[in-house]
Amino acid sequence: MDWSSTNIIALALGRNLYLWNAGDGQVEEMLTTESEERQPTSVSWSADGTRLAVGFADSTVQIWDLTVHRKVRVLTGHTERVNSLSWNSSLLSSGSRDSYIINHDVRTRSSSGCGIKGHASDVCGLRWSEGGNLLASGGNDSRVFVWEARSMRSSKHLYRFSGHSAAVRALAWSPHQHNLLASGGGTADGSIKFWNTRCGKCCHSIDTGSQVCALEWNKHRDEFLSAHGFTRNQLSLWSYPSMRKIGEMNGHSNRVLHLSQVSLSLPTNL
């Protein structure tokens, strides 16, 4: 799931990918695959909301131009399911079950990009920093890597954090402190950790008591939302840096895998 700057949510469900316009409530089935072996497994909008990247179980990535509602590129290079995607201007990063991250420059004609390897197994999460100079990756190997854009071609990471004890798919950069990265661990871990990427150290950690599936910072104040799985499938809102729990929301009957918020341009007279 991902929410575009044009207020459209892309949602992959089974073999189908839907577009839901949050403004007028209209739903469009954008694509459907003939089998589960080819179903969509990840989605990510470009910053301007015109292009949608879709990763598939068959290891490919498609780019759709939503101004004309047409598939414009098919990107290759992976050998397994594409678990995660993240845009950085004209650079699209994809993470796969094959343990590789591939950076695709969508301005070039080549369908494959530059591959880097740090994780020992599935790349579960990817997130570019707001400034576009750092990429965070989380893996099924319980590791978090931080990569500098200028050094990625050499597969040389800036940091490798090993504080978690389960898969890391939840990653979020603070919009208020640009060197602050939050990461969440799976069922055997249940912690949220905060990494200072200026000095390479963990500055805070909190045990949530349940699987952390997704994280999202509030763009307007220093607080963040965490989505959970086993045991209670809840959403928790936290204040940072006090780590005080502000509230909790329940209602889901299974793990909450994704969170997304929209950044809409507001009228200047508000």
Side-chain angles (χ1 to χ4, degrees):
M1 180 181 73
D2 199 22
W3 202 339
S4 78
S5 59
T6 56
N7 210 18
I8 297 175
I9 295 177
L11 181 64
L13 290 173
R15 296 189 297 113
N16 303 304
L17 180 64
Y18 298 96
L19 300 179
W20 178 63
N21 189 316
D24 59 20
Q26 294 295 310
V27 178
E28 173 190 348
E29 183 182 288
M30 196 184 90
L31 64 84
T32 184
T33 60
E34 62 271 22
S35 65
E36 291 183 359
E37 289 72 25
R38 298 193 62 196
Q39 69 182 23
T41 50
S42 51
V43 293
S44 181
W45 287 100
S46 62
D48 62 4
T50 62
R51 293 173 295 177
L52 178 66
V54 186
F56 290 86
D58 68 357
S59 78
T60 61
V61 177
Q62 296 180 7
I63 297 180
W64 287 70
D65 184 340
L66 270 300
T67 62
V68 293
H69 278 67
R70 184 167 60 88
K71 178 175 65 179
V72 293
R73 297 287 297 276
V74 176
L75 305 175
T76 59
H78 288 297
T79 59
E80 298 281 353
R81 178 184 65 209
V82 180
N83 298 315
S84 49
L85 297 164
S86 185
W87 285 92
N88 180 13
S89 186
S90 60
L91 188 70
L92 174 67
S93 297
S94 58
S96 170
R97 191 176 184 178
D98 64 13
S99 77
Y100 277 86
I101 299 167
I102 295 181
N103 295 310
H104 310 268
D105 188 338
V106 299
R107 295 169 300 181
T108 67
R109 292 188 177 185
S110 173
S111 63
S112 60
C114 172
I116 58 174
K117 182 174 170 61
H119 293 282
S121 56
D122 301 42
V123 181
C124 304
L126 285 176
R127 189 72 73 95
W128 278 98
S129 63
E130 296 254 333
N133 61 318
L134 296 176
L135 174 68
S137 63
N140 203 42
D141 56 3
S142 310
R143 302 289 187 263
V144 176
F145 282 79
V146 176
W147 312 83
E148 281 188 300
R150 62 186 179 183
S151 304
M152 294 183 75
R153 285 189 174 274
S154 63
S155 291
K156 182 180 179 181
H157 57 266
L158 179 63
Y159 297 115
R160 180 181 63 188
F161 300 129
S162 54
H164 288 289
S165 56
V168 181
R169 72 185 310 276
L171 297 167
W173 291 95
S174 169
H176 314 293
Q177 301 178 51
H178 297 306
N179 294 298
L180 183 64
L181 171 68
S183 62
T187 306
D189 182 294
S191 71
I192 302 172
K193 299 185 184 300
F194 298 85
W195 310 95
N196 184 325
T197 59
R198 181 171 293 168
C199 62
K201 293 182 179 180
C202 181
C203 49
H204 292 93
S205 181
I206 184 169
D207 183 4
T208 70
S210 54
Q211 176 189 28
V212 183
C213 300
L215 294 167
E216 193 73 25
W217 286 91
N218 186 330
K219 295 181 184 297
H220 308 290
R221 60 182 64 184
D222 243 345
E223 60 188 31
F224 64 93
L225 187 67
S226 58
H228 298 270
F230 183 82
T231 55
R232 291 175 24 242
N233 310 310
Q234 81 277 20
L235 298 175
S236 297
L237 183 64
W238 310 81
S239 176
Y240 185 86
S242 70
M243 309 308 296
R244 179 177 62 88
K245 186 184 287 188
I246 301 171
E248 192 166 281
M249 292 158 276
N250 297 283
H252 287 286
S253 58
N254 213 321
R255 59 180 177 160
V256 185
L257 289 173
H258 301 282
L259 293 172
S260 187
Q261 63 179 312
V262 67
S263 295
L264 295 177
S265 298
L266 295 176
T268 56
N269 60 344
L270 288 183

